[in-house]
Amino acid sequence: MGKRITLSVIKADVGGWVGHSSVHPALLEKARGVLSGSPLLIDFHVTHVGDDINLIMTHERGRNDGDIHQLAWDTFQACTEVARQLKLYGAGQDLLADAFSGNIRGLGPGVAEMEFEERASEPVVVFMADKTEPGAWNFPLYKIFADPFNTIGLVIDPKMHKGFLFEVHDVLHHRRVTFATPEESYDLLVFIGAPGRFCVKAVFHKETGEIVAVSSTQRLNLMAGRYVGKDDPVCIVRCQSGFPAVGEVLEPFAHPHLVSGWMRGSHSGPLMPVSQRQCTPTRFDGPPRVVALGFQLSDGKLVGPQDFFADPAFDKARETANEIANYLRRLGPFEPHRLHLEEMEYTTLPDVMKRLKDRFEDLRGR
Ligand code: F6R
Ligand code: MG
Ligand code: MG
């Protein structure tokens, strides 16, 4: 029997270098320093994608553990101090509360955690995106776990043939519902095809009930009631031996789908798969991008990372993403490049409307 391990990925933007583009190395150094002093963790890996710091941590304390969440909170606080000293941009922006209150969820940072019995060999992929939102995972998660044109294992691996269970969260009304695929895939798509409202939170193996994937689903803008930064999301996927193969898990990203985010969290753009080295958004604060780091777990130790999208096999996807970006940018302030009114993080509409309200004439009865 393998050990029960919890893999926690907790992320926050606590100050950008320069603007909202990247993370200063001093913050990563600080985060590593704080985590390495903790007796709670088996192992950790600190990295960043764009302006978000990602704490990838393993331990044996289960999900939603107050001490682990406190550790992440303290780490982000310490990084915020450094960000303030360097006058980095938006220092402390994702730490919405003044003090930690037992669970980091709802306080600003994004959280994806799963607890499982480590298998004889446990390959995992951690996806981390910048300049987009949690619903960005809906498309790839559907492809990975429910689309036989992406995942041939659904057809020819007897251990996957019965399908998977998708736990979907309605982020507007804070409720959840679970769908079984393939039999309920059309019902599932009714919801997750609207990624601004419905997000795939987790995926389970239908036969064994094991957790296979989990994402971060908080929406900061809804939580705070005002713009505090896009909820750049993370997602963990376990691979192989009855779960999708690593290559099946990476495959959807060869086709850059359109996601919400980009400039001022108010635009639609292609999700570009990039290496760790290429993870700094530039053009129009984007385009949105995603990094995939692979690890083998060994009694909770993170053996890795493998920087998957560094592979030239994803060059074509980057090229396609650049073409899509070029095309969309020419639309400027017009939809569908600009998000529709309810989805924009920034808007001047109420103010402009107020100023012009007397200039609107009623057309009824004319
Ligand atoms: C999008 C993002 C950036 C900022 C933009 C304006 O998620 O982080 O595109 O929205 O740079 O930032 P402020 O309002 O801070 O000047
Ligand atoms: Mg930022
Ligand atoms: Mg960000």
Side-chain angles (χ1 to χ4, degrees):
M1 286 289 248
K3 255 187 183 178
R4 276 198 87 72
I5 297 291
T6 307
L7 176 55
S8 301
V9 182
I10 307 187
K11 49 92 20 192
D13 173 350
V14 294
W17 174 63
V18 173
H20 288 284
S21 67
S22 187
V23 175
H24 191 282
L27 273 65
L28 300 175
E29 212 40 49
K30 173 56 83 178
R32 289 182 189 117
V34 177
L35 294 188
S36 61
S38 170
L40 302 176
L41 302 180
I42 301 174
D43 202 0
F44 67 86
H45 180 80
V46 172
T47 188
H48 78 102
V49 171
D51 57 3
D52 296 281
I53 299 175
N54 297 278
L55 312 177
I56 302 170
M57 302 175 285
T58 51
H59 53 93
E60 292 177 276
R61 306 174 66 95
R63 289 160 53 232
N64 289 321
D65 180 76
D67 293 333
I68 295 291
H69 284 204
Q70 172 96 54
L71 175 64
W73 181 263
D74 292 346
T75 306
F76 292 134
Q77 286 282 9
C79 293
T80 298
E81 282 312 305
V82 181
R84 292 215 165 100
Q85 281 156 25
L86 297 173
K87 289 186 68 179
L88 297 181
Y89 194 70
Q93 79 161 46
D94 281 358
L95 305 186
L96 302 182
D98 295 329
F100 182 71
S101 53
N103 189 312
I104 207 164
R105 286 191 305 151
L107 301 185
V111 184
E113 294 183 293
M114 53 160 78
E115 185 186 356
F116 51 86
E117 191 177 300
E118 189 180 288
R119 296 171 293 166
S121 184
E122 187 67 64
V124 296
V125 179
V126 180
F127 291 101
M128 296 159 284
D130 190 34
K131 304 294 181 265
T132 185
E133 61 177 14
W137 306 127
N138 288 6
F139 175 87
L141 287 174
Y142 182 83
K143 301 273 284 182
I144 295 166
F145 292 102
D147 178 6
F149 282 78
N150 180 91
T151 300
I152 186 60
L154 294 166
V155 181
I156 62 173
D157 181 346
K159 295 205 286 292
M160 283 172 61
H161 197 67
K162 288 217 163 57
F164 291 89
L165 302 173
F166 285 71
E167 179 183 321
V168 175
H169 286 198
D170 175 347
V171 292
L172 197 60
H173 293 126
H174 304 288
R175 47 187 189 166
R176 69 176 176 192
V177 52
T178 298
F179 297 95
T181 57
E183 61 272 32
E184 295 183 308
S185 52
Y186 296 167
D187 288 345
L188 170 67
L189 286 167
V190 168
F191 296 98
I192 67 170
R197 162 120 185 240
F198 297 97
C199 301
V200 178
K201 175 63 189 176
V203 181
F204 301 88
H205 192 269
K206 198 191 280 171
E207 269 178 297
T208 65
E210 276 179 286
I211 183 137
V212 198
V214 72
S215 72
S216 58
T217 47
Q218 82 293 348
R219 293 199 73 189
L220 284 185
N221 52 332
L222 292 179
M223 277 164 29
R226 64 185 173 90
Y227 175 76
V228 284
K230 254 304 182 200
D231 319 340
D232 306 313
V234 293
C235 179
I236 309 169
V237 184
R238 299 168 72 196
C239 310
Q240 309 287 158
S241 302
F243 300 159
V246 168
E248 290 167 333
V249 170
L250 301 176
E251 177 64 11
F253 297 91
H255 173 74
H257 62 298
L258 292 181
V259 297
S260 298
W262 208 345
M263 175 59 80
R264 297 178 190 272
S266 304
H267 292 80
S268 182
L271 185 63
M272 183 189 266
V274 293
S275 68
Q276 187 81 82
R277 209 171 47 77
Q278 302 166 316
C279 77
T280 301
T282 56
R283 182 178 182 189
F284 201 54
D285 284 359
R289 56 199 66 206
V290 55
V291 167
L293 295 187
F295 298 91
Q296 287 287 150
L297 294 190
S298 175
D299 294 326
K301 286 273 177 206
L302 291 159
V303 182
Q306 185 65 250
D307 186 0
F308 284 122
F309 294 146
D311 185 355
F314 288 91
D315 283 352
K316 186 71 193 165
R318 288 186 272 274
E319 205 181 300
T320 305
N322 276 326
E323 274 166 27
I324 297 168
N326 251 347
Y327 174 80
L328 285 172
R329 282 301 303 125
R330 274 183 231 135
L331 291 176
F334 282 81
E335 296 179 12
H337 180 31
R338 194 183 78 173
L339 295 179
H340 60 84
L341 294 174
E342 302 79 62
E343 276 292 315
M344 286 192 298
E345 299 259 354
Y346 281 54
T347 182
T348 48
L349 184 71
D351 289 344
V352 176
M353 209 41 146
K354 207 159 125 199
R355 186 158 46 77
L356 299 186
K357 72 176 188 327
D358 296 334
R359 298 212 345 231
F360 279 84
E361 293 173 53
D362 200 335
L363 284 173
R364 285 166 299 188
R366 281 184 176 247

Short mmCIF file of all heavy atoms in Angstrom, two decimals, residues 13 20 51 93, ligand 2:
data_model
loop_
_atom_site.label_atom_id
_atom_site.label_comp_id
_atom_site.label_asym_id
_atom_site.label_seq_id
_atom_site.Cartn_x
_atom_site.Cartn_y
_atom_site.Cartn_z
N ASP A 13 -0.74 36.24 -6.83
CA ASP A 13 0.00 37.36 -7.41
C ASP A 13 0.18 38.36 -6.28
O ASP A 13 -0.79 38.95 -5.81
CB ASP A 13 -0.83 37.95 -8.56
CG ASP A 13 -0.22 39.22 -9.14
OD1 ASP A 13 0.74 39.76 -8.55
OD2 ASP A 13 -0.73 39.69 -10.18
N HIS A 20 2.35 43.83 -14.77
CA HIS A 20 1.72 42.54 -14.44
C HIS A 20 2.39 41.39 -15.19
O HIS A 20 1.75 40.39 -15.49
CB HIS A 20 0.24 42.57 -14.81
CG HIS A 20 -0.60 43.41 -13.91
ND1 HIS A 20 -0.98 43.00 -12.65
CD2 HIS A 20 -1.14 44.65 -14.07
CE1 HIS A 20 -1.73 43.94 -12.08
NE2 HIS A 20 -1.84 44.96 -12.93
N ASP A 51 2.87 36.71 -13.65
CA ASP A 51 3.04 37.42 -12.38
C ASP A 51 2.53 36.64 -11.17
O ASP A 51 2.35 37.21 -10.10
CB ASP A 51 2.39 38.81 -12.46
CG ASP A 51 0.91 38.74 -12.81
OD1 ASP A 51 0.37 37.62 -12.92
OD2 ASP A 51 0.29 39.81 -12.96
N GLN A 93 -1.48 42.19 -4.00
CA GLN A 93 -2.81 42.35 -4.62
C GLN A 93 -3.79 41.19 -4.39
O GLN A 93 -4.99 41.42 -4.26
CB GLN A 93 -2.70 42.65 -6.12
CG GLN A 93 -2.42 41.46 -7.01
CD GLN A 93 -2.78 41.75 -8.48
OE1 GLN A 93 -2.44 42.79 -9.03
NE2 GLN A 93 -3.47 40.81 -9.10
MG MG B 2 -0.74 41.13 -11.48
#
